[in-house]
Amino acid sequence: MNTRPAIDESTGPVSLTVGFNQDSSCFAVGLDTGFCVFNSDPCELKVSRDFNAGIGATEMLGKANYIALVGGGKNPKFPTHKLIIWDDAKQVAAVTLEFRSQVLQARLSRSQILVALLNSVSLYAFSSPPKKVSSFETADNPSGLCCLGSSIIAFPGRTPGQVQMVEISTGNVSIIPAHGSPLKAMTLSPNGQLLATASETGTLIRLFSTLNCARISEFRRGVDPAAIFSLAISPSNALLAVTSDKATLHIFDLPHANSTSTSRNNSSIHVIPSSRSSSPYSALDRPVSSSSSSDATNNKQKWGILGKLPLLPRLFSDAYSFASAPIAIDDDPYSSLSLNGMAKPSVPIPGIPGGKARKGIVGWLDDSTIVVVGAGRDGRWEKFVIGNGEAGRWVGRQGWKRYLGG
């Protein structure tokens, strides 16, 4: 008979979600007891608010005093179908938006609020009170994927694997058939001209121009399927960082967006057609060739002469990352040990998109410095740097910290 006492898991707060502000200079953490805000580098606590209740989603507005909050965890601070714009200077809810279903994610700018639900997204003018501008139906979007740029918004389409992109000023809609399976991650570049997407398969990342919706390039993360945690494009729009449940950070070179036409279709809806082919794979699943010199260099380094042979599988000629490094994704806040010492299966976290604490969220501090943060009982901050050596460019971890202490 095993008489060992059960492990007490009640000590200390648990981070449920984490996310950077627009320039990655800070990150906000939703806790099962409230929320806090940290500087990205050095990793230092700036703000801590104890609600004695959970926050399941956060979104900062730069370094302003406004932060979007959604209740979450076993004891949510706010109903999960309400979005709260919290004024931290006054420590009150400045704006409350109520919906018919759970709020999964929100994006903020100084003029807009974008809210993602399971099957729709809504755009509001950031005013008092907020004015609803438009609403769009989507396929099931359990992760609350949505992007808010200065002139466009992007989110999943009505068909799994598609992206809807909307010009804010005109309402023009473009439909991009990005993948053959549902979307898992997406991000806009800082200049708003590039859109990177990944599907639930997690082997390929595709890059599109937001100026004309053309597919610019495609990158292979790996051969085995993986859950993509985060996509982020560097401040110069030249590099792409990708993290996944393979516990790896990959860095890719990006071709220039201005290599494609800069004109937009003037029609209200623009659909990017897929080409017909006798290949057994659909056009959405079939890898595309990249014309960038960096891609050719990566292929040469990855497979050598094999990348040039015409009859081998396409994975030998795909564009791979030029550098990679391991990241920490070790724990889950709602997993525990049983009395026999074996790990229990983790249970979904109430009020959290996907039911799991966010891991491997990427923020670029500059074109050679990356911060990766993750939620969980053992929430971690990691700093990586990109350098040059005799064997070429590399990425390595420069430091790490448990941002909740311990």
Side-chain angles (χ1 to χ4, degrees):
M1 179 177 179
N2 192 333
T3 60
R4 287 180 294 178
I7 296 174
D8 182 8
E9 297 181 339
S10 61
T11 59
V14 173
S15 57
L16 304 178
T17 187
V18 61
F20 288 97
N21 64 350
Q22 285 75 15
D23 64 0
S24 300
S25 59
C26 302
F27 63 93
V29 180
L31 306 170
D32 59 352
T33 57
F35 77 91
C36 51
V37 177
F38 292 84
N39 277 325
S40 292
D41 191 27
C43 181
E44 294 178 344
L45 180 65
K46 290 184 61 180
V47 174
S48 179
R49 300 289 177 247
D50 188 355
F51 294 151
N52 197 30
I55 298 297
T58 63
E59 173 72 4
M60 298 180 67
L61 178 58
K63 293 184 177 180
N65 53 297
Y66 291 109
I67 181 170
L69 303 175
V70 181
K74 294 179 179 179
N75 178 32
K77 169 63 176 174
F78 308 108
T80 58
H81 67 283
K82 291 184 178 182
L83 174 68
I84 307 298
I85 307 297
W86 180 263
D87 184 344
D88 198 62
K90 300 178 180 179
Q91 296 195 35
V92 297
V95 174
T96 300
L97 293 174
E98 187 171 347
F99 301 88
R100 295 182 178 180
S101 61
Q102 179 184 343
V103 176
L104 298 177
Q105 190 55 267
R107 301 299 181 200
L108 300 181
S109 71
R110 295 191 177 274
S111 56
Q112 276 95 28
I113 303 171
L114 184 62
V115 185
L117 310 180
L118 178 62
N119 293 114
S120 67
V121 298
S122 296
L123 181 66
Y124 292 81
F126 201 153
S127 56
S128 184
K131 180 181 178 182
K132 189 173 184 177
V133 176
S134 55
S135 183
F136 303 89
E137 293 182 4
T138 70
D140 283 354
N141 182 19
S143 298
L145 300 179
C146 59
C147 300
L148 174 59
S150 59
S151 60
I152 63 170
I153 58 175
F155 48 89
R158 294 184 182 184
T159 301
Q162 289 186 349
V163 175
Q164 290 188 71
M165 195 166 62
V166 182
E167 277 191 276
I168 296 174
S169 60
T170 65
N172 287 352
V173 179
S174 297
I175 308 298
I176 303 174
H179 298 272
S181 54
L183 297 173
K184 183 63 176 178
M186 59 193 306
T187 189
L188 285 172
S189 61
N191 66 3
Q193 295 183 10
L194 299 172
L195 173 70
T197 64
S199 73
E200 290 182 350
T201 305
T203 54
L204 298 173
I205 295 91
R206 289 184 170 135
L207 188 71
F208 300 89
S209 168
T210 62
L211 301 175
N212 60 9
C213 301
R215 185 160 65 182
I216 298 175
S217 192
E218 181 177 79
F219 311 100
R220 181 170 289 278
R221 179 212 54 81
V223 178
D224 297 329
I228 301 298
F229 287 153
S230 181
L231 304 174
I233 296 175
S234 66
S236 69
N237 312 288
L239 300 173
L240 172 68
V242 179
T243 57
S244 72
D245 64 354
K246 298 296 185 181
T248 306
L249 166 70
H250 290 274
I251 311 296
F252 298 85
D253 280 312
L254 297 183
H256 294 294
N258 58 13
S259 63
T260 63
S261 171
T262 59
S263 62
R264 280 191 180 271
N265 191 310
N266 292 326
S267 62
S268 60
I269 299 182
H270 183 206
V271 179
I272 308 303
S274 58
S275 59
R276 295 185 179 271
S277 172
S278 58
S279 167
Y281 300 100
S282 72
L284 297 182
D285 296 324
R286 188 174 59 253
V288 298
S289 299
S290 171
S291 59
S292 69
S293 60
S294 60
D295 290 349
T297 301
N298 290 340
N299 298 339
K300 185 183 298 183
Q301 293 174 347
K302 181 75 176 180
W303 298 110
I305 190 63
L306 293 179
K308 298 180 179 180
L309 298 180
L311 299 180
L312 290 180
R314 287 295 302 270
L315 67 89
F316 288 101
S317 58
D318 284 342
Y320 286 78
S321 60
F322 67 78
S324 62
I327 61 172
I329 59 168
D330 47 1
D331 79 318
D332 187 285
Y334 280 44
S335 63
S336 58
L337 294 177
S338 60
L339 291 180
N340 61 8
M342 300 298 290
K344 295 180 182 178
S346 59
V347 298
I349 307 172
I352 303 297
K356 295 182 179 180
R358 300 187 71 192
K359 301 287 186 178
I361 307 304
V362 177
W364 289 87
L365 303 183
D366 54 51
D367 267 35
S368 61
T369 310
I370 300 168
V371 169
V372 178
V373 292
R377 188 173 301 280
D378 188 34
R380 296 197 186 196
W381 167 95
E382 297 177 278
K383 180 180 178 181
F384 295 84
V385 294
I386 299 173
N388 283 290
E390 293 182 0
R393 287 175 295 173
W394 52 266
V395 60
R397 192 172 72 173
Q398 192 177 65
W400 70 277
K401 179 179 181 179
R402 291 187 176 91
Y403 56 77
L404 294 180

